[in-house]
Amino acid sequence: MRSKWPNLKTPTNINAVNLTLAQALVHASAQAVDRLDAQLLMLKVLMREQTERAWLIAHDDQLLTPNQWREFEQLLLSRSQGQPLAYLVGEKEFFGLTLNVSAHVLIPRPDTETLVEWALNTVKFSCLQAPTVVDLGTGSGAVALAIKANAQHAQVTALDLNPEALALARLNGQRLQLDVHWMESNWLQGIQGPQTRGFDLVVSNPPYIEDGDPHMAQLLFEPVSALTAGADGLSDIRTIIQQAPSHLNTDGWLLLEHGWNQANAVAQLLRQQGFTDVQSRTDLGGNTRCTGGKWVFTHT
């Protein structure tokens, strides 16, 4: 594909002055940074919204200040070394929401939208006036906030053991003006539903990668605690399945995201615990991504 700026030369002096946006972006290409990534990094440097790529193209003759150029160079270096774009720009879109993210939380992924869609269908067809929902291991708050944004009548609680992650999730909720109750907790240990009730729906995207999985080499910048869960990747899922019955209302649902090859194992764990109507959902790539079941006994 031909460059939009075919006659521009890549600048060689990183202290260059009178450098235009167009020239800086050509330099980014020479550093093997994807054009879209470079544009989004440039928008961060210019303190403009990540949606303003059209503005960037229309003003590509604008000059960078020396400080902006140095900041852009540092961001390019970090990106070329594999640091995720979301961490560098500080935000990620998920289910139509723009979320602030940091290295304390897992970057929200499109696969998890499958979990949100299933949760919303469960809430909307529950016929409850104010269904109670809890999101376990909320991270950036992505799942909890997406549910609340699309089911305003639901009472949503979100838990995380990491105080830094919880603080970020709370800030996302405040910025988006979505009323979610945030709590620090190790899964469901010691937690009760609103007003001493149980929950009608428990959802979670827990860690599910096996310890030592070779794919972890591609995820070096994300928190390991949010990714791996024992030799088979099911340690946290087992804990959640064991804890959930004492926190679920009768006919309440537990929905779990998991690895592409873990559906049968998760379904078996749910049935062994006494869940009924166990079923799964596939993501956009056709992989079985979520499995859940219904709890038919009232907890004590």
Side-chain angles (χ1 to χ4, degrees):
M1 180 180 294
R2 295 183 61 187
S3 170
K4 178 179 179 293
W5 306 286
N7 298 319
L8 293 179
K9 294 184 180 298
T10 301
T12 57
N13 178 6
I14 63 170
N15 294 313
V17 294
N18 298 325
L19 195 70
T20 66
L21 304 187
Q23 289 173 317
L25 290 170
V26 169
H27 173 72
S29 178
Q31 302 303 307
V33 175
D34 179 81
R35 179 181 173 187
L36 174 58
D37 288 2
Q39 289 175 325
L40 296 178
L41 293 174
M42 180 63 77
L43 288 169
K44 175 178 174 57
V45 168
L46 298 174
M47 293 187 291
R48 302 194 71 92
E49 297 293 332
Q50 292 285 288
T51 54
E52 294 187 86
R53 289 176 59 212
W55 180 94
L56 197 65
I57 294 170
H59 296 81
D60 61 9
D61 58 348
Q62 177 173 311
L63 297 178
L64 288 170
T65 67
N67 285 341
Q68 288 173 333
W69 167 245
R70 283 191 288 271
E71 182 182 355
F72 186 60
E73 267 287 287
Q74 184 57 55
L75 289 171
L76 291 180
L77 177 61
S78 298
R79 186 69 186 111
S80 67
Q81 293 175 341
Q83 190 161 341
L85 179 69
Y87 289 158
L88 294 175
V89 300
E91 63 183 50
K92 180 70 174 180
E93 184 175 344
F94 178 81
F95 219 83
L97 303 176
T98 299
L99 302 169
N100 292 337
V101 296
S102 74
H104 294 297
V105 302
L106 194 67
I107 298 169
R109 288 163 167 78
D111 292 342
T112 304
E113 295 195 359
T114 301
L115 179 67
V116 173
E117 289 170 351
W118 193 359
L120 288 172
N121 285 335
T122 303
V123 167
K124 290 177 180 179
F125 289 106
S126 69
C127 299
L128 296 172
Q129 188 173 23
T132 53
V133 181
V134 61
D135 171 31
L136 310 183
T138 194
S140 64
V143 171
L145 292 169
I147 292 173
K148 184 62 178 180
N150 292 276
Q152 292 282 337
H153 66 299
Q155 298 182 44
V156 181
T157 300
L159 314 179
D160 205 290
L161 183 61
N162 185 329
E164 289 86 2
L166 202 61
L168 180 64
R170 183 178 286 109
L171 287 174
N172 277 326
Q174 291 171 352
R175 181 174 52 81
L176 295 169
Q177 297 184 325
L178 293 171
D179 184 18
V180 172
H181 182 50
W182 310 99
M183 298 183 66
E184 186 175 330
S185 177
N186 185 10
W187 302 125
L188 281 162
Q189 186 175 357
I191 298 299
Q192 290 186 328
Q195 300 175 352
T196 72
R197 291 173 52 199
F199 294 102
D200 301 307
L201 175 63
V202 175
V203 298
S204 183
N205 174 21
Y208 53 73
I209 299 177
E210 300 174 6
D211 291 346
D213 188 297
H215 294 95
M216 284 298 296
Q218 304 170 25
L219 302 168
L220 294 177
F221 294 92
E222 298 190 69
V224 174
S225 61
L227 292 166
T228 62
D232 62 357
L234 297 173
S235 176
D236 289 316
I237 287 177
R238 286 192 184 90
T239 298
I240 293 169
I241 290 174
Q242 290 167 2
Q243 291 180 349
S246 62
H247 298 273
L248 278 167
N249 293 325
T250 187
D251 293 329
W253 281 84
L254 170 61
L255 308 182
L256 297 163
E257 180 174 333
H258 51 68
W260 66 273
N261 60 347
Q262 295 174 328
N264 290 338
V266 175
Q268 183 177 4
L269 290 170
L270 286 165
R271 293 190 181 99
Q272 288 174 347
Q273 190 65 36
F275 284 85
T276 64
D277 201 11
V278 175
Q279 53 192 276
S280 297
R281 296 288 187 275
T282 57
D283 59 25
L284 291 176
N287 299 307
T288 306
R289 183 58 57 187
C290 302
T291 298
K294 182 164 61 173
W295 186 251
V296 297
F297 303 104
T298 304
H299 70 270
T300 58

